[in-house]
Amino acid sequence: MRIPVVEAISVPFGKKLSLDSYVIAIFLSALDFGMIAPSLTVIATDLAFPVRWVIWVIALHLAVFVLALPLMEMWGARMGQSRWFVISLSLFSLGSLVAGAGSQWPALLCGRVIQALGAGGIVPLLSAELRRLTRLKSRLWRVAIHLGLGGLLILVPLFSSWVAWQYSWRWLFWVNLPAALAIYILSFRFSSGGGSRVPPQQTAGLFYFAGILLSSMVSVSRLNPSHGWGMLADPDFLPFAILSVGLIVPLLMAERQSEHPFFQPRMFTDLRLLGIHGVVALAGCTWVAVVLVPGWMVEMFGQPQGTGGVFLSVVAGAAWLTLPLARWITVRWGYQGALAIGFFAIACAYFTLALVEDRFTFIVVLALLGGGLSLTLMAPVHELLFEILPLRQIKSGLMVIAMFRTAGGALGLLLIGLSLFEPVDPAHGVLWKAGFQMGLLTAAGAAVLGFVISLLLPLSDGSGFKED
């Protein structure tokens, strides 16, 4: 027995091209990342606050988006997908307006939270419509959809740099307003499809997980590297760190008492599940670390701030073009081989970017980085998940994997941001070489750890789904 999400995750150009909410969520996150990342230093300079805080513009959006996705899907199923889609699109537009208009960082972050909530509600209906189209249309048309999505990933960073350079970084958010209007007009052509069925789930665990993730993010951002190891006892850090650990207990209690738990209690005791979630969290960390690429390349090539989108496009293009190779590797060596090769390539890329200063080498290494990211993101770790969990728990299990991937990305992004601890000094216009190098080396270290864990994961035995 097979379900569409398996093909959506593991078959970019397979015999049956299909798209699932999981894939659409990753794609929308990547688009948002490509739009905002090239202009982070410009935003930090304009609003006069440190780069490590402006990183919250991406990290908070990632966290809220992935937490909102299951909740918005459940609420949308109860209210009706079409009506909920309009509400979510309105929230997304409102968040974009607020984020672009904000003159202080709290307003910017508030807008990003609203934007992420709206995006979480847009995904279910959008993915359902794309699935319908890819099933009804010819194979050539389905390939055209995938090529179009790949083109968006490559062009968005270029568009972002052009908008920020010609106009203002605020237009990176305001441009979502006409885009949302266009999607609303197109939605009239969407199939009604009737009501959607979402398995009942206990939502208390989601809120506890949100508390753990957000308190962990706050605690990481409050670390002061200048204090050395003493920063772990800093009163600004310790309470939030204790809270993030302490919330694990009520999370476990709530999930054990629930008839339909979202987080399976055994995920905290089964070493295989711990390994899966740990490795996808590290993959998320290495993915978001490319936020350093535009600023670092601009510094190395002597270009103006905010114009580094072209380098991010190289990474995105390499990642997209590597998808067929990623499929071949997963078929030949399984998810373990894809993860190991991907993490190894990422580690080599980040180490080289940090330690080698040669412009031609940079371009080659960015392509290597894109290929490694493609392998780690597309590695079918769900194959092992299917052998561990019963079929009725697969949907929530896949979503939990997505949440851990994003949680790793959000926390890793804030940890990497600590290397740029000092505030931006517009008078000098210099981005700190040592800070960027330390951030890249931190990402390389995460990739090395992911490489080791991926080798320790058990191989799939090909038995497929576990019986209920």
Side-chain angles (χ1 to χ4, degrees), residues 15-244:
K15 294 182 179 179
K16 295 183 179 179
L17 297 174
S18 60
L19 296 166
D20 194 82
S21 296
Y22 177 78
V23 177
I24 295 298
I26 291 178
F27 178 76
L28 291 181
S29 297
L31 280 185
D32 179 83
F33 195 91
M35 181 69 80
I36 306 302
S39 298
L40 282 181
T41 53
V42 176
I43 297 173
T45 302
D46 189 39
L47 298 183
F49 60 94
V51 173
R52 69 186 179 94
W53 285 111
V54 82
I55 283 177
W56 272 82
V57 173
I58 292 179
L60 187 60
H61 184 275
L62 280 174
V64 174
F65 175 54
V66 76
L67 292 171
L69 188 59
L71 291 174
M72 299 292 272
E73 185 176 11
M74 284 188 283
W75 295 338
R78 295 170 185 171
M79 182 177 290
Q81 279 192 343
S82 298
R83 183 186 304 175
W84 194 248
F85 182 80
V86 174
I87 294 174
S88 301
L89 204 58
S90 300
L91 280 175
F92 179 76
S93 301
L94 176 62
S96 300
L97 182 63
V98 172
S103 58
Q104 299 293 329
W105 72 268
L108 177 59
L109 293 183
C110 180
R112 291 289 281 168
V113 169
I114 300 173
Q115 195 181 39
L117 289 172
I122 292 171
V123 167
L125 184 59
L126 186 61
S127 61
E129 181 63 17
L130 287 173
R131 276 201 309 273
R132 184 184 71 86
L133 290 176
T134 53
R135 289 172 181 173
L136 293 177
K137 301 294 183 178
S138 66
R139 175 176 173 79
L140 182 62
W141 200 88
R142 295 196 298 267
V143 171
I145 290 179
H146 283 258
L147 292 177
L149 296 179
L152 274 177
L153 284 178
I154 297 170
L155 293 176
V156 160
L158 295 173
F159 175 76
S160 171
S161 291
W162 178 77
V163 169
W165 179 251
Q166 293 293 330
Y167 302 100
S168 166
W169 61 266
R170 299 180 185 279
W171 282 99
L172 300 178
F173 300 104
W174 291 337
V175 75
N176 289 324
L177 300 179
L181 178 61
I183 294 174
Y184 174 71
I185 295 173
L186 288 174
S187 68
F188 290 110
R189 300 177 61 88
F190 289 0
S191 172
S192 59
S196 60
R197 298 175 57 189
V198 177
Q201 296 290 345
Q202 172 71 24
T203 57
L206 285 172
F207 289 105
Y208 282 121
F209 184 84
I212 293 171
L213 177 56
L214 294 177
S215 58
S216 298
M217 291 169 64
V218 173
S219 64
V220 169
S221 65
R222 287 176 175 266
L223 288 171
N224 189 339
S226 63
H227 293 168
W229 289 107
M231 64 183 177
L232 299 179
D234 194 307
D236 289 335
F237 161 80
L238 204 55
F240 291 99
I242 294 174
L243 178 63
S244 62

Side-chain angles (χ1 to χ4, degrees), residues 206-368:
L206 285 172
F207 289 105
Y208 282 121
F209 184 84
I212 293 171
L213 177 56
L214 294 177
S215 58
S216 298
M217 291 169 64
V218 173
S219 64
V220 169
S221 65
R222 287 176 175 266
L223 288 171
N224 189 339
S226 63
H227 293 168
W229 289 107
M231 64 183 177
L232 299 179
D234 194 307
D236 289 335
F237 161 80
L238 204 55
F240 291 99
I242 294 174
L243 178 63
S244 62
V245 175
L247 286 175
I248 296 177
V249 176
L251 169 64
L252 290 174
M253 293 176 62
E255 295 297 81
R256 286 184 181 278
Q257 296 172 2
S258 172
E259 294 183 3
H260 304 285
F262 193 87
F263 298 92
Q264 301 303 320
R266 64 181 296 187
M267 68 176 286
F268 298 98
T269 56
D270 192 313
L271 291 179
R272 296 170 298 173
L273 290 176
L274 287 174
I276 290 174
H277 292 92
V279 82
V280 297
L282 289 168
C285 179
T286 58
W287 171 53
V288 299
V290 299
V291 71
L292 297 173
V293 167
W296 181 234
M297 292 295 96
V298 161
E299 182 71 9
M300 291 294 97
F301 282 83
Q303 300 297 316
Q305 289 186 25
T307 59
V310 61
F311 303 104
L312 207 54
S313 291
V314 173
V315 177
W320 191 259
L321 293 174
T322 309
L323 289 179
L325 175 62
R327 164 135 175 90
W328 182 83
I329 290 176
T330 56
V331 170
R332 190 174 182 85
W333 292 303
Y335 71 89
Q336 190 183 56
L339 284 173
I341 296 173
F343 277 122
F344 183 79
I346 291 171
C348 291
Y350 281 135
F351 274 125
T352 305
L353 287 174
L355 303 176
V356 177
E357 298 184 9
D358 179 76
R359 295 186 178 185
F360 175 77
T361 302
F362 283 153
I363 303 302
V364 176
V365 169
L366 290 179
L368 177 65

